[in-house]
Amino acid sequence: MTFDSVMKNVARAIAVITTLYHVYIGFFGLARPLANYAITLSLLMCLVFLYFPLKGKGQKITLLDSFLALLSLVVGFYIVANYETISTRPTMIGEMTNIEYGLGIMTILLVLESTRRTIGMPLVYVAVFFLLYCFFGNYLPGMFTHSGFTSRDIVESMYLTLDGIYGTPVAVVATLVIQFVVFGAFLEGSGAAKFFVDISMSMMGRLRGAAGHIGNCVAALFGTMMGSPTATTVTVGSFSIPMMKKTGFTAVFSGAITSVSSTGAALVPPIMGTAAFLMAEMTGIRYIDICKAATLPAILYFISCTLIVYFEASKTGITGFKKEDLPSFIKTIPISLQYIGPIAVLIILLILGYSPALCAVVASFLIFLASFLRRQTRMTLRKVVATLEGASKTSLSVATSCAAAGLVVGGILLTGLGGKFASIVIAISQQSAFLALFVTMIAALILGMGMPLPVVYILTAVLCGPAIAAFGIPVMAAHLFLVYFACISAVTPPVAVAAYAAAAIADENPVKIGFLAFKYAIVGFIIPYVMVYDQSILLQGSVTDMLIAVVSCTIGVAALSSAVSKWLFTSLAMWERAVLFAGGVLLVYPELITGSIGICGIGAVSFLNYQKKKSRFKAESMATQEAVSNM
């Protein structure tokens, strides 16, 4: 056997061990946080250097890669071996040894290199900037200055405490993310993806523009468990985009709407792609309350996606599939029990308040058992090993980016920049809550260029959270605002990563798809502001207020979707689109005066557009009759 093949077998073994270790954490919890997080990051960084060799992913593993993988294990397991001493020593008061200083520097470099190999340079640049700020920030003028720290202070804070590399981001990976990645891996390994496609086709296959509706439905069902807009776009788009193109949708539209729905999938309860668990960790709000608040906004988002597909299909004359070409809904019911049962157990356990990690592990085990109900889905030992390995591989980019985010958060905490940044945002906004929210939105969209959703949310929560909280905005609304824009950044040009992923499948210009996706995701840009100014959309308040919010927002979303699609009953003139767009915005934020104006505008345009359709239909009928009579 060659060195490369031996190391690939070693990587496979470590990947399986890594997943099983986190299954253990899901079942039994953890007693020594710093040690457990160090093990998590060491194992995953080790895998990065074996699965992402210096020569490129899939290339031969070199001696250098193997050495870096070994070093990744050493820096983490040193903390485990000396946990009692490290955990009881006062930070920056007790003396850090030279060995710890050297290992700390190596850990920082390993984190930066593993991040570069998995997601590229943008987050590396951000992390390096904050490290340099820790070291040189005392030379800066004004509010950006700090008291100054030595290199030993910085290394100790980043390597040997829970305020740096092993802070909240890596903690969430160790205790939440990987367990849900395992759940998703078992779903996929047991054939659940095909089930989601079949049940979506059986329910929506006869609708106008059926291929687009099926893609939206599968994205919502499957994507909420994956949590990555890009990964969901690739998974769902691999079958939905070719199917949409085959039925008559353009490549640009197919790629755009797939990336939009796949991005919104990370906002769908109950899983929300781990965003709900992150938010619960950051805010202390109960997980079930976050899911309840996020329900209506997620429904509105997908109503928009559905209507955009319907309007496009109406515009281009695309119909649904023939009944004989679709799977039978009745026949999917027995299969559905195989997957819906474990998912239902997951949701029930979460509602009852059990640890999310425990719920995910239990649901994964139930899916494994359920796979034996049918011969074609049975998970053999080989498939189980491949699933366990796949779970670790899927976690690598999130883990390394969260470790790099830990360097950023550590720098912010060490220097006190969070409070200073909040003061800057308040100063820029000139005491205007709307301007503060706008600045926060821009920060989230910029940070989201190529970074995973959990990282963007954590960074914006640390940097911008205190600023918008200073305006008295409710914590629930403020953090859901951050989650939404951390997610929507995936379809925001110029670096619309989900749209770029869709472009590769659609074989079309990524810039065209990116800008069209940005337009179709308009509801996702408006809803977060509505959350802040009217909590009825979060299902908070009186029943009357909530009912008004549901009806008003649904009509408003329909109007916005029509405006961006340039179609209602027939094609829309520019002034009609403008009135629908304005009316939609007024209705999404329901108040008596604005709502009345919005209803009047939308009603007038709807009536006139319907009359225009009748007139055109009548003219076309008369022309057809005249042509027939002249024959």
Side-chain angles (χ1 to χ4, degrees), residues 7-35:
M7 293 311 300
K8 284 180 177 175
N9 286 331
V10 169
R12 188 173 296 109
I14 294 174
V16 172
I17 291 169
T18 300
T19 301
L20 291 175
Y21 171 70
H22 289 92
V23 168
Y24 173 86
I25 288 179
F27 264 122
F28 300 105
L30 45 81
R32 306 192 302 170
L34 182 62

Side-chain angles (χ1 to χ4, degrees), residues 248 339 512:
Y339 300 107
K512 289 182 181 179

Side-chain angles (χ1 to χ4, degrees), residues 509-548:
N509 187 324
V511 176
K512 289 182 181 179
I513 290 179
F515 277 98
L516 189 61
F518 176 72
K519 183 173 77 169
Y520 287 157
I522 186 65
V523 168
F525 286 88
I526 295 174
I527 285 176
Y529 286 94
V530 181
M531 294 176 185
V532 170
Y533 288 102
D534 183 7
Q535 277 77 59
S536 299
I537 196 176
L538 301 179
L539 302 181
Q540 297 178 0
S542 68
V543 175
T544 302
D545 288 341
M546 287 189 282
L547 287 174
I548 291 172

Side-chain angles (χ1 to χ4, degrees), residues 124-183:
V124 174
Y125 292 140
V126 174
V128 170
F129 170 82
F130 277 91
L131 288 172
L132 292 174
Y133 176 69
C134 290
F135 194 71
F136 296 108
N138 56 313
Y139 297 108
L140 295 176
M143 67 168 59
F144 288 106
T145 191
H146 57 72
S147 58
F149 302 95
T150 66
S151 62
R152 296 182 78 90
D153 292 336
I154 297 167
V155 169
E156 183 177 6
S157 179
M158 297 300 172
Y159 176 53
L160 297 178
T161 75
L162 292 173
D163 291 331
I165 292 171
Y166 305 116
T168 299
V170 167
V172 170
V173 171
T175 58
L176 284 174
V177 173
I178 296 180
Q179 288 80 8
F180 275 91
V181 169
V182 172
F183 173 64

Side-chain angles (χ1 to χ4, degrees), residues 103-117:
L103 290 174
I105 293 174
M106 290 179 194
T107 304
I108 292 171
L109 294 175
L110 288 169
V111 166
L112 294 175
E113 173 59 12
S114 60
T115 302
R116 183 195 69 80
R117 292 193 184 196

